[in-house]
Amino acid sequence: MDGKGPSRLATGVATIITVALLTTGILVAARFGDLSMRAGMGGMEMGGLSMGMDMRPVDTRGVRTQPLEARGGQRLAPTVVAGTKEFALSVERVRWTILPNITVGAYSYNGSVPGPELRVTEGDRIRVVVTNRLPEPTSIHWHGLEIDNGQDGAAGVTQEPIAAGQTYTYEFAARPAGTFFYHSHFAADRQQSIGLTAP
């Protein structure tokens, strides 16, 4: 040892200890944890947010393919019913074309990824009628809006999730002014990552 750095012996011991600790961590995780990418939640669940990862692909049998020219995030015009701006959203599976001749299975709002833009003015009364055409439950959380707890969309916390084939109506006043997004709040790690977000 020349006094300018660790000896070969010290470096070797540190390497052996590091490898032993990493190996122990992997073995403990393999024994007591879930390292699979199996169907299902793969871990704890809190209010529709799973603490594991569900990596199942989207079953695209029998669903429509959106052309390459399709664009997500396009503005959806409301229908005005007795002074309330009403939007209809269908939550459905789709084949979303990302490159010529390349599609991915996705979950969508009204067949687009991201879903349609809902543009309103602060204070407007809003009604959003959501029909779930997915093979699993879902919900919509209105991120950043100040709304009644019962309309917040946190599945399993503020509302029951919208079951497959069912319809749910959200109603609230648009507050505050700003740019926000809406997204799934059921199995959010999966549903958001495969398409269920929108402006």
Side-chain angles (χ1 to χ4, degrees):
M1 183 163 144
D2 61 6
K4 295 183 181 177
S7 70
R8 285 184 159 189
L9 178 61
T11 302
V13 169
T15 300
I16 290 170
I17 291 171
T18 301
V19 169
L21 290 172
L22 287 171
T23 303
T24 301
I26 291 169
L27 292 173
V28 168
R31 172 65 179 93
F32 298 105
D34 183 356
L35 302 180
S36 69
M37 287 196 253
R38 64 184 165 80
M41 293 307 196
M44 294 187 331
E45 188 174 324
M46 293 174 38
L49 296 174
S50 69
M51 300 296 138
M53 193 56 118
D54 181 353
M55 302 295 288
R56 287 177 293 147
V58 174
D59 179 1
T60 58
R61 290 175 291 185
V63 302
R64 65 183 160 156
T65 299
Q66 295 293 37
L68 182 60
E69 301 77 34
R71 295 288 176 259
Q74 301 302 303
R75 190 174 302 173
L76 179 63
T79 302
V80 179
V81 179
T84 297
K85 290 185 177 177
E86 186 171 299
F87 299 91
L89 290 179
S90 173
V91 190
E92 58 195 67
R93 297 171 300 142
V94 68
R95 278 199 260 353
W96 191 251
T97 305
I98 59 172
L99 291 169
N101 301 313
I102 298 177
T103 62
V104 295
Y107 282 1
S108 70
Y109 293 119
N110 291 13
S112 72
V113 178
E117 174 187 300
L118 307 183
R119 184 174 291 234
V120 297
T121 302
E122 183 177 23
D124 282 352
R125 288 292 310 163
I126 307 301
R127 179 179 301 122
V128 184
V129 180
V130 180
T131 301
N132 181 8
R133 292 191 169 95
L134 298 177
E136 63 185 270
T138 193
S139 69
I140 296 181
H141 173 66
W142 308 97
H143 203 94
L145 295 178
E146 299 169 356
I147 59 179
D148 292 339
N149 206 30
Q151 298 297 295
D152 190 50
V157 179
T158 62
Q159 76 168 81
E160 289 302 312
I162 308 166
Q166 299 297 306
T167 297
Y168 186 86
T169 301
Y170 294 94
E171 291 194 50
F172 53 88
R175 288 194 179 83
T179 301
F180 305 101
F181 77 111
Y182 60 97
H183 58 83
S184 171
H185 217 286
F186 178 85
D189 58 348
R190 172 177 163 74
Q191 290 190 2
Q192 287 182 40
S193 67
I194 58 177
L196 292 185
T197 62

